[in-house]
Amino acid sequence: MEIGFIGAGTVARTFGRHLIVAGHTVVVSNSRGPETLTAFAAELGPNAMAGTKQQAAECDVVILATNWVNVTEALRGVEWHGRILIDATNAHMDPKPDISLEGVTRSRAALKGRTSSEIVAEKAVGGRLVKSISNIPMEWIQDFSHNKPRTVIFASGDDIEAKQLVIELINGIGFVAVDLGSLKTGGAMHEVGAPLSGLDLHFGRRLR
């Protein structure tokens, strides 16, 4: 599968490498153009390439991995109708995310009772949005071996088919995806500052 990243930061560097190890192809993009990402793509591996935002958006699955303050611009100019878009952002209101309790509280208050992914969905009109990959710091999943811990990654969304594809993608690269339901209800449980955000959970076994 070909996975496009809009944003070339820690999410693209870490999750992108997990995807490549599992045999997927990755297209990374940023706001400055593919010529600035040659070294970044080379670092990810032979199945990574630098591209434009439009090229990333044409992939089978697109991962939005920018800072929150850049979300509007990152989504602008793309025809999202029918595209599967994973929202991997966290709604930090400052250009440099403030992860202190005060900073997180201020950022959550700015959402005015809505989930961040509902706002993203409104900006990516027609996109098949799934909230995922954002509930833990990327520093926690730096083991790229085949025997890495089966870390839990949450997923929520209103498009059942799109969410199932994302769940299968996450499971297929060595993690365990847990379906939290709808974008509104599930997103409220694992966005920044929510009860299931920032928990390092590993899958043990199923009881049934």
Side-chain angles (χ1 to χ4, degrees):
M1 188 179 293
E2 193 171 58
I3 316 296
F5 282 87
I6 297 180
T10 56
V11 173
R13 177 175 287 108
T14 304
F15 205 77
R17 186 171 171 188
H18 282 292
L19 289 164
I20 289 170
V21 169
H24 298 286
T25 299
V26 166
V27 178
V28 291
S29 69
N30 64 11
S31 60
R32 299 184 301 279
E35 63 278 0
T36 67
L37 291 171
T38 303
F40 187 97
E43 178 187 340
L44 282 179
N47 286 342
M49 64 169 286
T52 65
K53 179 172 69 174
Q54 293 296 335
Q55 288 173 317
E58 290 169 1
C59 292
D60 302 309
V61 174
V62 186
I63 299 177
L64 178 64
T66 65
N67 285 341
W68 180 256
V69 294
N70 299 324
V71 163
T72 299
E73 182 59 33
L75 295 173
R76 183 176 291 132
V78 177
E79 175 52 65
W80 290 105
H81 182 69
R83 301 182 189 275
I84 296 177
L85 176 63
I86 299 176
D87 175 20
T89 67
N90 281 306
H92 295 287
M93 299 299 162
D94 303 303
K96 182 178 181 180
D98 182 353
I99 61 173
S100 68
L101 177 59
E102 180 182 355
V104 170
T105 300
R106 177 164 43 82
S107 292
R108 285 181 63 81
L111 297 175
K112 299 180 179 179
R114 306 174 68 201
T115 66
S116 59
S117 287
E118 288 179 288
I119 296 173
V120 173
E122 287 184 357
K123 296 178 183 295
V125 178
R128 304 167 69 189
L129 192 75
V130 179
K131 170 73 170 174
S132 193
I133 313 175
S134 60
N135 60 282
I136 56 173
M138 292 292 101
E139 290 79 5
W140 293 0
I141 55 171
Q142 294 292 325
D143 184 348
F144 301 101
S145 68
H146 291 293
N147 61 346
K148 63 191 173 190
R150 299 188 68 193
T151 302
V152 171
I153 295 179
F154 299 114
S156 58
D158 300 329
D159 187 309
I160 303 302
E161 184 181 22
K163 182 169 57 175
Q164 185 58 38
L165 187 149
V166 171
I167 287 172
E168 291 173 2
L169 178 66
I170 292 170
N171 290 340
I173 64 173
F175 300 114
V176 176
V178 174
D179 185 349
L180 290 183
S182 70
L183 203 59
K184 182 175 183 178
T185 303
M189 290 192 284
H190 64 108
E191 66 181 8
V192 64
L196 295 180
S197 175
L199 297 180
D200 191 9
L201 304 176
H202 295 170
F203 176 79
R205 61 189 177 92
R206 296 190 184 278
L207 297 179
R208 55 179 177 170

